[in-house]
Amino acid sequence: CVTHTYFYRRSSNTLFTLVFFLVSQIAFFFKLLRYRKQDVCIYINTMLPFGAALAGKLMGKKTVYHIHETSLRPAIFKSFLRWVVNSTASTVIYVSEYLRLAEVFKTADQTVIYNCLSKDFSQTAAANTYFFDSETFNVLMVCSLKSYKGVNEFVNIAEMFTHRSDMSFSLVLNANKRDINEFFFETYIPGNLSIFPSQSDLKEFYSDANLVLNLSKTDQWVETFGLTILEAMSYGIPTIVPPLGGPIELVRDNQDGYLIASSDTKGLYSRILSLSDDRNLCLDLSRSAREQSLKFNEAVFRKALKNIFSV
């Protein structure tokens, strides 16, 4: 696989970021014109690289969009990117049924291909044994450092369980220590909660977890898939996820985990409490979650993509 890197730089100034982005796409457009006489297909991962789509349309090449997100700002920017997709795409791939119904592009050839875990990750997860220790019940959440991801809600839930010495909470954030300290500068962190910066390997956290939470606030952010949810399930970890978006296509309520909104504090507390006190229930959910995760494997993903490009 031959790769090329093109100029792009993010800035604290939104206008500068936009200018850098536009320059990169113009450069991208002209760079791709070198393939006009070659038998190629343009594959665009996310909606952002519109320069590639316009070049593909101009050259008359098959252009495949792989759509992962729905939350792009500002609205006028997203409208422009949607116009490019509608005007250029030969095929649109969505990562979930939720996203397909939410975006509704005009392209005739549309399909859903769920994300998958790599073969190496799946093998490592399969070797892990879900362990329920009556002395410690570990609750884990992995997410970016954004309020709409339910970070503060996780802290509040941990605080509700300070009376339980047998329970611990771990929050792994995609951020450095400085940003984490600034975010929680005026926030009380209970003693049963440990907060960690970005990790290159989550194996240790998944291996120790008895329950994984996703507390995304669906009125502000809807998960279009939920890769960390799938990772947890592959380790045989029961999960609690929002009742909207891509997660409901992964987690079967009362089978692999539970669908509970982050705003339902009482419901979350009650469910976490019941799981922490019921070893057999957790083991049943664990077996079901691992079995469900096997449906989202690399072989299925590769076959589905191959079918797209062989047409």
Side-chain angles (χ1 to χ4, degrees):
C1 180
V2 180
T3 62
H4 302 275
T5 301
Y6 298 96
F7 171 79
Y8 173 64
R9 180 182 300 168
R10 295 186 66 87
S11 170
S12 56
N13 186 301
T14 304
L15 181 59
F16 285 168
T17 298
L18 179 60
V19 170
F20 289 144
F21 176 69
L22 291 175
V23 170
S24 73
Q25 293 308 301
I26 293 172
F28 203 10
F29 173 86
F30 286 106
K31 288 283 187 178
L32 285 178
L33 293 182
R34 72 175 70 174
Y35 298 104
R36 61 187 179 279
K37 295 182 179 180
Q38 299 181 37
D39 183 16
V40 299
C41 174
I42 307 297
Y43 169 76
I44 302 171
N45 195 27
T46 79
M47 292 170 61
L48 292 172
F50 69 87
L54 295 176
K57 183 69 172 181
L58 180 64
M59 295 185 293
K61 307 298 183 182
K62 180 175 181 176
T63 301
V64 177
Y65 260 97
H66 201 153
I67 307 295
H68 296 261
E69 73 289 304
T70 185
S71 300
L72 292 171
R73 299 290 185 273
I76 190 172
F77 178 57
K78 180 178 178 179
S79 295
F80 167 73
L81 293 177
R82 282 185 52 82
W83 173 81
V84 174
V85 176
N86 282 321
S87 302
T88 64
S90 308
T91 300
V92 175
I93 302 171
Y94 304 92
V95 298
S96 64
E97 282 291 340
Y98 164 78
L99 189 56
R100 182 183 69 82
L101 296 174
E103 290 300 336
V104 193
F105 289 105
K106 298 177 181 179
T107 309
D109 187 12
Q110 302 183 41
T111 187
V112 173
I113 300 179
Y114 291 109
N115 290 329
C116 70
L117 300 175
S118 70
K119 186 177 180 180
D120 289 342
F121 187 97
S122 297
Q123 289 176 341
T124 300
N128 179 73
T129 300
Y130 179 76
F131 185 68
F132 192 105
D133 184 352
S134 59
E135 296 182 359
T136 307
F137 188 83
N138 300 306
V139 182
L140 170 68
M141 188 163 87
V142 181
C143 65
S144 55
L145 185 58
K146 304 291 185 181
S147 59
Y148 57 72
K149 287 289 190 174
V151 173
N152 292 316
E153 281 73 10
F154 188 79
V155 174
N156 293 337
I157 288 173
E159 186 176 358
M160 295 171 69
F161 284 95
T162 52
H163 65 287
R164 291 284 298 262
S165 60
D166 61 331
M167 297 185 66
S168 66
F169 292 76
S170 297
L171 179 60
V172 181
L173 297 167
N174 186 20
N176 57 46
K177 291 183 179 180
R178 184 189 65 183
D179 290 340
I180 291 174
N181 290 336
E182 289 180 359
F183 186 92
F184 291 109
F185 179 68
E186 297 182 346
T187 302
Y188 168 73
I189 305 299
N192 63 348
L193 171 61
S194 299
I195 301 177
F196 301 89
S198 298
Q199 303 290 313
S200 58
D201 188 353
L202 292 170
K203 177 182 177 181
E204 179 180 344
F205 293 93
Y206 286 135
S207 297
D208 291 339
N210 297 106
L211 176 67
V212 165
L213 303 185
N214 181 304
L215 300 178
S216 293
K217 302 163 74 170
T218 54
D219 59 333
Q220 300 177 31
W221 171 272
V222 178
E223 300 282 355
T224 56
F225 183 72
L227 191 60
T228 56
I229 298 170
L230 180 58
E231 289 177 348
M233 294 173 69
S234 70
Y235 269 81
I237 308 170
T239 57
I240 295 179
V241 304
L244 180 66
I248 68 174
E249 297 171 47
L250 295 174
V251 179
R252 297 168 298 182
D253 194 29
N254 291 305
Q255 294 186 60
D256 318 303
Y258 299 95
L259 307 180
I260 305 176
S262 60
S263 58
D264 185 4
T265 305
K266 291 183 179 179
L268 288 168
Y269 176 83
S270 176
R271 182 56 64 188
I272 295 171
L273 183 63
S274 64
L275 288 170
S276 67
D277 291 333
D278 195 333
R279 179 179 185 274
N280 290 331
L281 174 58
C282 284
L283 292 175
D284 287 343
L285 293 171
S286 172
R287 285 188 288 268
S288 182
R290 195 188 295 272
E291 180 181 343
Q292 173 74 344
S293 73
L294 297 177
K295 299 176 182 178
F296 303 88
N297 63 73
E298 190 174 284
V300 172
F301 181 80
R302 286 178 176 272
K303 181 178 180 180
L305 276 184
K306 185 177 180 179
N307 290 338
I308 294 293
F309 291 107
S310 63
V311 176

